[in-house]
Structure formats: structure tokens, C-alpha cells
Amino acid sequence: VGYKLKEWYRESLNRIDAIRGHLIISEGVYYLSGYTENNSSHGNITRVHQIQLNLFKGIVSASVSYQEGTDYNEASDAKWKGKYFPSSGLIFWKEKLTTHSGLFVYSGRIVDHFTIVGRYYWDIKKSATGTFRYNLKYM
């Protein structure tokens, strides 16, 4: 019985290590820095002024403040709500800006312990698309 218990314990630890190997970021609260870039010919870049990103039990939520864009759009605030999947590093959220109708829909990947990259589109005007890159800092 002792041998089987030790074997079961060793196998359990190996399974936990395998699962941990897929986790790219931990649950918690993060500060983000970074930007969005519109795919238009202007390539408008909008930097985030302040983001507090919450990742808990697969749920994404955030309060966001954007600076004025390099080509257009005024400074604004937004709320994020969505989901993330720690085992795959995939993350999805919808953004509601105080200055726009509709929602911006984001999909991305957590590429390392400190970076999220991906694409977005505006649900009212699907041709309004772009990319984003955010860097995380654990609070």
C-alpha cells in the first residue's frame, strides 16, 4: 500500500507541474501599459494612460483610461469585460468606451509572463480594425 501511495503522489505532482507549465500568468490584479493601433492608412496609435486589469477565475475585467490618439480620437475612459483561458493563454474581452457607440471586440494571446498581443474590431463598423500590445506588471 505504501508503494502505491508514493506512486500516486509522484504522478499527482507530475500532473500539477504539467498544468503549471501551461499557465502563463497568474490570477490577480495587474497594471497595464501599451497601445492600440488602427489598421487604417493613418495608423492611429492610442496609448493607455491607466489600466487596472483583473484576472480571476477565467474572468477579465478592467477600468481603462486612454490618451488622445496620434491622428484622431479624444482621450476617453472604458470598461472591459471578458474571459481568459490560462491553459492556452487566450484572452477575449469587449470594451465599452464613454465616447463611442457600440463595443470594441478584442481577441488575443498572452505570449509570455508580461505581454498580451492581438486584434480588435468595432462591432458597429467591422472594417474598423486594429492591433494591440499591452505589457503587464503585477500589482
Side-chain angles (χ1 to χ4, degrees):
V1 174
Y3 173 76
K4 288 189 179 209
L5 184 58
K6 286 180 185 178
E7 188 65 28
W8 173 84
Y9 181 74
R10 192 174 309 121
E11 287 176 13
S12 296
L13 289 177
N14 288 339
R15 282 194 297 274
I16 289 170
D17 287 342
I19 291 168
R20 272 194 203 130
H22 293 291
L23 295 176
I24 297 174
I25 62 170
S26 301
E27 289 188 340
V29 180
Y30 294 85
Y31 284 125
L32 266 68
S33 60
Y35 61 90
T36 63
E37 184 171 1
N38 187 284
N39 285 341
S40 72
S41 59
H42 302 287
N44 182 55
I45 294 174
T46 306
R47 296 203 173 275
V48 294
H49 173 64
Q50 183 179 23
I51 296 181
Q52 180 179 319
L53 176 68
N54 304 295
L55 300 175
F56 290 106
K57 297 183 180 180
I59 303 297
V60 174
S61 65
S63 295
V64 183
S65 292
Y66 288 104
Q67 296 175 351
E68 186 175 299
T70 56
D71 194 34
Y72 55 86
N73 71 283
E74 61 190 73
S76 62
D77 295 324
K79 297 285 186 190
W80 292 0
K81 291 184 181 180
K83 295 185 177 191
Y84 75 99
F85 302 90
S87 61
S88 66
L90 297 177
I91 185 167
F92 305 94
W93 71 89
K94 292 182 179 180
E95 173 182 76
K96 177 61 180 153
L97 288 161
T98 56
T99 55
H100 288 70
S101 299
L103 299 170
F104 286 83
V105 180
Y106 288 77
S107 61
R109 178 176 283 288
I110 301 164
V111 294
D112 59 30
H113 294 285
F114 310 105
T115 310
I116 300 173
V117 298
R119 301 185 161 282
Y120 69 89
Y121 68 90
W122 191 13
D123 70 348
I124 291 178
K125 184 179 177 185
K126 298 236 188 321
S127 63
T129 62
T131 59
F132 65 88
R133 181 180 187 88
Y134 294 119
N135 299 307
L136 296 95
K137 181 179 179 185
Y138 197 71
M139 288 179 58

